[in-house]
Amino acid sequence: MLLPDDWACLMAGRLSVVQSPVAMVRCAARAKPHPLPYLRGLELLDGRAENCIVFEDSRAGLRSAVAAGLQMVGTTSALSAAEILALGAGMVIMDYHDPRLPLLLEAPEANTAVRDGISLTG
């Protein structure tokens, strides 16, 4: 059985267009929905919020990402598309086979990720 962090790493690996590092923060002092896990991830990657995209499927995770100022893609594994959008996601997918993902992830910066009609606003 895969743990949630292992599953996230596995899925990131399957998105072959991902060239950037993936951070998994297992031991932050505060858990989601607090923003600290994502802020710690940004720190570990020496990243900037505007250049990152979060993939989330939980209320706590979406709230954490919003509080950290990150843009999100929500997956409908646990929540409806309407709830995901209401929680602040800029895009909703059913799974990681969505044909829009490679176009989104190839955009030079997450905050200006608009290519061929695919946009992420968060």
Side-chain angles (χ1 to χ4, degrees):
M1 182 168 117
L2 291 174
L3 298 173
D5 286 348
D6 297 329
W7 178 251
C9 286
L10 174 67
M11 294 315 298
R14 287 189 179 168
L15 293 172
S16 60
V17 297
V18 174
Q19 302 294 322
S20 300
V22 175
M24 305 304 300
V25 180
R26 297 173 191 244
C27 298
R30 303 276 312 261
K32 297 174 188 177
H34 195 277
L36 187 58
Y38 281 117
L39 295 174
R40 180 69 178 127
L42 285 172
E43 181 183 332
L44 290 171
L45 294 172
D46 195 27
R48 295 175 35 192
E50 62 268 18
N51 295 332
C52 295
I53 300 174
V54 170
F55 290 84
E56 268 295 348
D57 68 347
S58 71
R59 287 178 193 91
L62 288 161
R63 289 181 179 128
S64 177
V66 165
L70 297 165
Q71 297 184 89
M72 299 163 293
V73 173
T75 60
T76 57
S77 58
L79 304 172
S80 70
E83 186 172 8
I84 290 168
L85 291 171
L87 286 166
M91 183 178 181
V92 177
I93 59 174
M94 287 182 59
D95 58 37
Y96 293 101
H97 299 289
D98 190 298
R100 299 172 296 167
L101 283 180
L103 295 173
L104 175 67
L105 297 173
E106 288 171 0
E109 292 190 14
N111 67 336
T112 58
V114 178
R115 177 178 276 167
D116 298 328
I118 305 305
S119 67
L120 177 68
T121 57

